[in-house]
Amino acid sequence: MMLVVAALVVWAVAWWINSRLSNGPSGDTRAVRMTVPVLFGLTVLAVWELVVRGLQVPAVILPPPSTIFTTLAGSIPILWEDFVQTFVKGALSGYAIGCGAAFVTAILADRFEFLRQGLLPVGNFMAALPIVGTAPILVMWFGFDWQSKAAVVVVMVFFPVLVNTVSGLRDTGAMQRDLMHTYGATYWQTLVKLRLPAAMPFIFNGLKIATTLALIGAIVAEFFGSPTRGMGFRISTSVGQLALDMVWAEIVVAALAGSLFYGAVALIEKAVTFWHPSQRV
Amino acid sequence: MTRFVPVLSVIVTILALWYAACIPMNVKEVLTQAERDGAVINPEGAQTRRDLSHFGLVFRNLDHLGGSWSQDRARLPAPHQVAAELWQSTWVEETTGRRGIVKSGSLSNRSLVYHGMVTLGATFVGFLIGAGLGVLLAVGIVHSRTMDRSVMPWAIVSQTVPILALAPMIIVVLYSIGLEGLMPKAVISAYLSFFPVVVGMVKGLRSPDAMQLDLLRTYNASGAETFWKLRLPASVPYLFASLKIGIAASLVGAIVGELPVQRGGLGARMLGGSYYGQTEQIWAALFVAAALAATLVWFVGWIERRTARAMGARP
């Protein structure tokens, strides 16, 4: 019981510090902006640890963070193997193929008005569908290894990127296009020098949405069959063995991979679209 | 009417590609069947054909491909086969089946209507919980600086975590503490619809600009009045945009949540189909899921239009 009380105290103290920090005179400085969420995260971890130990929650329901960390540190080789199988082979290759195909299709759809009018409603419709459901079919076609995971990822990322790219390519004003026209610019010159740069914020929006979808697709596809490695495989078999600390370790890896992937795309976006108002500080 | 011509031609193209794709996809099984029926296939024997390319086999046996679109348990069933399965497992099963609603008084557990209703129930419960919590958290974030600073960054980071992939674990954990049936799936649905709503609603509640807020200050409006009369009405378009994303995510969550526990639902149907090689069953479940998603998004859009009209927007 003492530990639960301690958890409450830790929560109250941390919250008090946080509210003092964010409402205080230095609330808008960069240091405080960084400190407050980090402190909040640490508080959640501490409360989790104390409550689980205090109420003696069985490890098959919720393991404490310390156990998860020990498992994580103790099984780095397995986790790395799973990471390579699911993320590098499955998600990344599928992401590259899917985004590339969507980009080419978007250029075509933009070139031919008829194609755009037909593809865009269909694409919008498909983007809202539970595409994860194609996973069993694609696993049946492409086998258990990473190729089928990449195929699921391709189908999942295709439509969001397509829809965003097409709407981005239409984002130039009549004035800007007229200016290119008076310069005597050809279609390709207008595309490369005016419309593609103007579309970049939209394209990156689609690419950022697709990072999360790629990881989800690769992991969920492994539930329908996989070789004896991979993050989805490890999650489903560890759940079966009630080894929840291993599941949580995989979750930590997935969360890290997802955040880093997203962060990397966001960094590239920052370098490419430095001129856009949302990137100015 | 002219708007439908391009859409229709894209759909027709997709169907044509689908029929064409059936030929190389199913060629090995079709040739084996044809050989059993006495045709001479080049090369002979299913064993020798196993590692040959699909297209090569198609071109060497152009005369024996008649069965491509009527294979039982095909690798890729043709569209009309899927349509037949859809009809078979909804209308026919319910009206004439032994366990159908006409004969037994309750929905047959072999029909997609039943499985669709199971999924829909979890989706709705989860969506209501998730959207409700999301709106509440957004109100908290907008009104408390501390919550904004500490919770919001984590809400954004959590968007990059593949929550859907954790669905099986959440189901098993909730099962072990006694929750089963609808609730575990609804929890996953709620989790998935929660974050789009938070992010959209925070954006919406913050959308009134400084001029409007200043005007309310000159009226001496209290915090509650500012909230009810300015912030909340201003947030409605943002709220509906994220509700549309949220309800589609809810449906996906419910379907994936049905994978580990085989107790009905479209997800269970897909996994069952993939275990037993019943590809038509998977495709039919997929189409029902697609129709459900489209209907749900349309339904939210309908409410959005009604609300906008009630709030004085001109159509």
Side-chain angles (χ1 to χ4, degrees):
Chain A
M1 222 50 232
M2 281 307 291
L3 289 172
V4 180
V5 175
L8 286 176
V9 171
V10 166
W11 180 266
V13 169
W15 193 257
W16 180 77
I17 295 175
N18 262 349
S19 68
R20 282 301 294 269
L21 274 178
S22 49
N23 292 320
S26 56
D28 280 322
T29 55
R30 200 179 157 74
V32 172
R33 276 174 173 278
M34 295 293 280
T35 316
V36 172
V38 170
L39 192 60
F40 179 77
L42 290 177
T43 317
V44 170
L45 282 183
V47 169
W48 176 356
E49 176 89 35
L50 289 171
V51 167
V52 166
R53 288 192 184 282
L55 296 179
Q56 294 182 337
V57 179
V60 291
I61 292 178
L62 191 65
S66 54
T67 317
I68 296 168
F69 185 75
T70 327
T71 313
L72 182 71
S75 40
I76 298 258
I78 296 180
L79 292 172
W80 176 252
E81 194 191 29
D82 293 346
F83 171 80
V84 170
Q85 169 74 17
T86 304
F87 187 78
V88 179
K89 288 185 185 163
L92 269 188
S93 56
Y95 182 82
I97 299 171
C99 293
F103 184 75
V104 173
T105 317
I107 300 273
L108 280 178
D110 179 68
R111 184 83 176 90
F112 304 104
E113 180 68 13
F114 185 78
L115 200 59
R116 190 186 67 78
Q117 282 181 354
L119 265 182
L120 213 52
V122 177
N124 266 321
F125 176 71
M126 296 291 281
L129 294 189
I131 294 184
V132 179
T134 56
I137 296 165
L138 292 169
V139 169
M140 195 182 298
W141 289 353
F142 294 98
F144 282 175
D145 209 355
W146 62 270
Q147 288 90 343
S148 61
K149 280 73 200 172
V152 175
V153 175
V154 168
V155 184
M156 277 185 84
V157 303
F158 183 80
F159 292 103
V161 176
L162 173 70
V163 171
N164 274 290
T165 309
V166 170
S167 54
L169 284 172
R170 295 169 59 75
D171 192 49
T172 44
M175 289 273 270
Q176 294 164 317
R177 264 180 272 176
D178 278 352
L179 181 66
M180 293 306 278
H181 198 69
T182 57
Y183 290 161
T186 61
Y187 166 80
W188 288 107
Q189 280 171 328
T190 316
L191 182 71
V192 172
K193 297 194 171 151
L194 170 66
R195 302 179 56 220
L196 268 183
M200 279 303 163
F202 290 81
I203 297 176
F204 272 101
N205 192 24
L207 290 181
K208 283 198 283 192
I209 297 173
T211 55
T212 324
L213 289 177
L215 204 49
I216 290 176
I219 295 179
V220 172
E222 287 182 356
F223 296 156
F224 289 95
S226 69
T228 54
R229 56 181 183 277
M231 293 156 93
F233 166 79
R234 196 76 59 200
I235 288 177
S236 53
T237 49
S238 301
V239 165
Q241 300 160 350
L242 292 178
L244 282 213
D245 47 345
M246 191 64 197
V247 178
W248 278 98
E250 287 287 354
I251 293 172
V252 173
V253 174
L256 273 179
S259 306
L260 287 180
F261 193 11
Y262 185 92
V265 175
L267 267 185
I268 301 174
E269 176 186 25
K270 208 164 185 160
V272 174
T273 64
F274 58 91
W275 47 270
H276 195 257
S278 67
Q279 299 292 345
R280 290 190 207 126
V281 185
Chain B
M1 214 53 211
T2 47
R3 273 174 55 221
F4 290 103
V5 177
V7 178
L8 261 182
S9 42
V10 165
I11 291 173
V12 168
T13 315
I14 291 175
L15 282 180
L17 283 177
W18 187 342
Y19 271 112
C22 286
I23 299 175
M25 285 300 282
N26 299 333
V27 65
K28 286 181 185 167
E29 293 78 10
V30 169
L31 291 182
T32 310
Q33 188 65 42
E35 196 164 44
R36 256 181 233 148
D37 296 342
V40 181
I41 306 295
N42 170 29
E44 274 178 44
Q47 286 293 327
T48 50
R49 286 195 298 268
R50 199 170 61 186
D51 296 325
L52 296 177
S53 92
H54 293 248
F55 286 103
L57 284 172
V58 168
F59 286 115
R60 284 158 80 173
N61 299 288
L62 282 174
D63 296 338
H64 305 290
L65 297 170
S68 295
W69 298 321
S70 54
Q71 275 271 304
D72 198 24
R73 300 188 179 197
R75 267 160 69 90
L76 177 61
H80 67 262
Q81 287 177 289
V82 177
E85 164 75 19
L86 263 175
W87 176 252
Q88 205 37 256
S89 57
T90 50
W91 181 256
V92 175
E93 177 69 27
E94 290 298 351
T95 50
T96 61
R98 191 166 52 82
R99 281 180 277 192
I101 194 162
V102 174
K103 296 241 170 94
S104 69
S106 62
L107 289 171
S108 161
N109 64 357
R110 289 174 63 189
S111 92
L112 282 171
V113 183
Y114 167 80
H115 291 289
M117 294 303 276
V118 170
T119 305
L120 201 59
T123 307
F124 264 125
V125 176
F127 176 67
L128 289 181
I129 299 174
L133 284 178
V135 170
L136 284 183
L137 187 68
V139 172
I141 284 177
V142 169
H143 284 96
S144 154
R145 237 173 118 79
T146 319
M147 271 183 93
D148 177 28
R149 288 288 162 76
S150 47
V151 180
M152 203 55 193
W154 289 104
I156 293 169
V157 168
S158 74
Q159 294 266 37
T160 67
V161 178
I163 291 152
L164 200 60
L166 317 182
M169 186 203 68
I170 299 171
I171 298 276
V172 169
V173 167
L174 290 178
Y175 193 81
S176 67
I177 60 170
L179 270 178
E180 51 180 318
L182 182 92
M183 270 328 273
K185 290 185 275 176
V187 167
I188 292 164
S189 287
Y191 209 99
L192 284 177
S193 55
F194 176 70
F195 288 106
V197 173
V198 172
V199 173
M201 193 68 186
V202 166
K203 218 181 207 172
L205 288 173
R206 290 224 172 106
S207 62
D209 58 26
M211 288 270 269
Q212 295 167 319
L213 288 169
D214 278 349
L215 180 67
L216 282 197
R217 207 162 298 137
T218 61
Y219 290 161
N220 195 24
S222 66
E225 281 172 324
T226 314
F227 176 75
W228 289 111
K229 295 186 173 160
L230 175 62
R231 285 193 189 274
L232 198 62
S235 72
V236 167
Y238 295 86
L239 175 65
F240 275 106
S242 37
L243 284 185
K244 281 186 202 164
I245 302 173
I247 201 158
S250 271
L251 181 68
V252 177
I255 290 176
V256 174
E258 282 157 357
L259 294 181
V261 183
Q262 294 286 305
R263 290 271 173 76
L266 295 174
R269 189 88 173 165
M270 286 174 196
L271 194 64
S274 99
Y275 278 163
Y276 301 113
Q278 299 280 7
T279 40
E280 286 140 34
Q281 187 179 317
I282 307 179
W283 281 100
L286 208 54
F287 272 90
V288 171
L292 270 187
T295 317
L296 288 174
V297 173
W298 173 85
F299 179 65
V300 174
W302 180 74
I303 296 177
E304 178 182 18
R305 283 192 295 278
R306 289 288 299 261
T307 318
R309 215 174 301 147
M311 286 171 65
R314 270 171 295 172

